[in-house]
Amino acid sequence: MSEDVQDIQKTNPILGCIADDFTGASDMASFLRKGGLNTIQINGVPDDDFALRKYSGMQVDAIVIALKTRTCEPSIAISESLQSLSWLQRARCSRFYFKYCSTFDSTERGNIGPVIDALMDKLAAKHTIVCPALPVNGRTVYMGQLFVHGTLLHQSPMATHPLNPMKDSDLASLLDAQVADINKKACGHIGYPDLSKLETYVPQQNDRYIVTDALETGHLQSLAKYFACHPNFPLLTGGSGLAEFLGEAYREAGWLGKTPSPLAETRLSSPTLVIAGSCSQATQGQVEHSKSKLPSLYINPNNLASGRQSAQSIAEWIQQHAAQSVLLYSTESAAKVSANQDKLGLENAASIIEKTLADAAAFATNAGYYKNIVVAGGETSGAVVSALGIKHFVIGQSVAPGVPLMRAETSSGALQLALKSGNFGDYDFFSTTIETMTL
């Protein structure tokens, strides 16, 4: 290591966040930026020689590390999360956050619980909060139950999610199935009536994980104010909802200046490449809305596997439409996704699509056709970012709740991206984002 990370800045970052997928990371980063924290996102476990000083003239207040650990083997998720935590500690972050999906999207055996346990043990934290709520996107918690647009999680479209179907809405129950045996039955709860009197709240000794109700944005503001700087809570966990209010809490504590520092933003003159790999209901609607407005190409895993569609044919199609904004999509209904998985195998079907879409993005940018890229879907976003060789972003304005514009420098020049969780955004998300990107 040429120089210690901790010596790079005169004023150290406050918050170090570890996110379990790429769109979750940008979701978190967007709300941190909205709350007035200058934020960078690093993709993958950072190298020890990653230098914060490259952001000359910009004080970095928060660092978000984007991992791809939501559905991998728990041992890999734990290892990469602990490596990331060690790097953030060397960067002298003083508070830490583990960000997961606002629908608690995970496998039955993890990886939310195992990673929380590992991070808590490393930080010697006796308590942490579990706060997936994001009311602005319809995710609320009441009586410890997670709701999506007023419907219990296990009765929402997440019940038939093709990768991680959610069959329970009780957060304590979901977490209890994942954590170490020694930590089972260790969930406390801050109920809705107690949110107005947090100043008197004291966790019970055996409440290792504290599930917090939150029905509206003001509740998150109260939770952030109490927990952000609390000495007994070095680690917070949840969705991105709390992020917007952490900056306010840090300022009240005197950890930041009273006003956010400005961040200059520029737009890139280029058409936009839209890539949709998510099969969520929200993305299905967005694709349907955009197919009549943009030149569109459907990427079919069966056609790819049989050779009826290929990387070369997709590249030729991109070349033919390079002067326009275009849509590449593999988005399908849950039934068709399931049929493809039955025929090709779950992992094989997903990997074929991810690699094809990622390779298409790399071809389009390396050839200089597109500098603006929109990606729908966490797994797809991770594959695209990796294929483009992007190691870090500077976070800019949001184009929708939880979806920021992000600037990256690559070997082929500057790129501007928007990476969205499959469930996020209105029906016209793609068209409005293209308009914002090219202003």
Side-chain angles (χ1 to χ4, degrees), residues 130-146:
V130 176
C131 184
L134 183 58
V136 70
N137 277 344
R139 279 67 164 160
T140 55
V141 179
Y142 178 60
M143 297 182 67
Q145 305 291 310
L146 183 54

Side-chain angles (χ1 to χ4, degrees), residues 251-272:
R251 285 189 175 84
E252 287 188 7
W255 293 2
L256 283 172
K258 293 192 176 183
T259 57
S261 55
L263 180 64
E265 296 188 53
T266 58
R267 297 287 175 263
L268 299 177
S269 177
S270 166
T272 301

Side-chain angles (χ1 to χ4, degrees), residues 27-29 31-32 35 37 97 239-247:
D27 172 19
M28 182 75 181
F31 281 105
L32 291 171
L37 296 174
Y97 200 107
S240 60
L242 285 176
E244 181 178 351
F245 306 104
L246 294 177

Side-chain angles (χ1 to χ4, degrees), residues 160-187:
T160 56
H161 190 285
L163 293 178
N164 302 320
M166 302 304 293
K167 303 299 185 183
D168 195 352
S169 304
D170 186 274
L171 288 168
S173 176
L174 287 167
L175 192 61
D176 205 47
Q178 299 182 15
V179 298
D181 289 344
I182 194 173
N183 297 322
K184 292 186 184 300
K185 307 300 180 185
C187 260

Side-chain angles (χ1 to χ4, degrees), residues 20 70 99-105 112 132 146 238-239 421 423:
D20 67 359
R70 182 168 297 174
K99 195 278 176 193
Y100 40 80
C101 187
S102 58
T103 53
F104 216 76
D105 184 357
I112 295 174
L146 183 54
S421 170
N423 295 306

Side-chain angles (χ1 to χ4, degrees), residues 226-292:
Y226 180 80
F227 286 108
C229 306
H230 199 296
N232 293 333
F233 288 82
L235 172 73
L236 305 181
T237 86
S240 60
L242 285 176
E244 181 178 351
F245 306 104
L246 294 177
E248 178 184 331
Y250 297 149
R251 285 189 175 84
E252 287 188 7
W255 293 2
L256 283 172
K258 293 192 176 183
T259 57
S261 55
L263 180 64
E265 296 188 53
T266 58
R267 297 287 175 263
L268 299 177
S269 177
S270 166
T272 301
L273 172 64
V274 179
I275 295 175
S278 168
C279 293
S280 71
Q281 284 194 345
T283 302
Q284 289 180 47
Q286 291 155 359
V287 167
E288 284 302 312
H289 176 76
S290 296
K291 283 195 297 185
S292 63

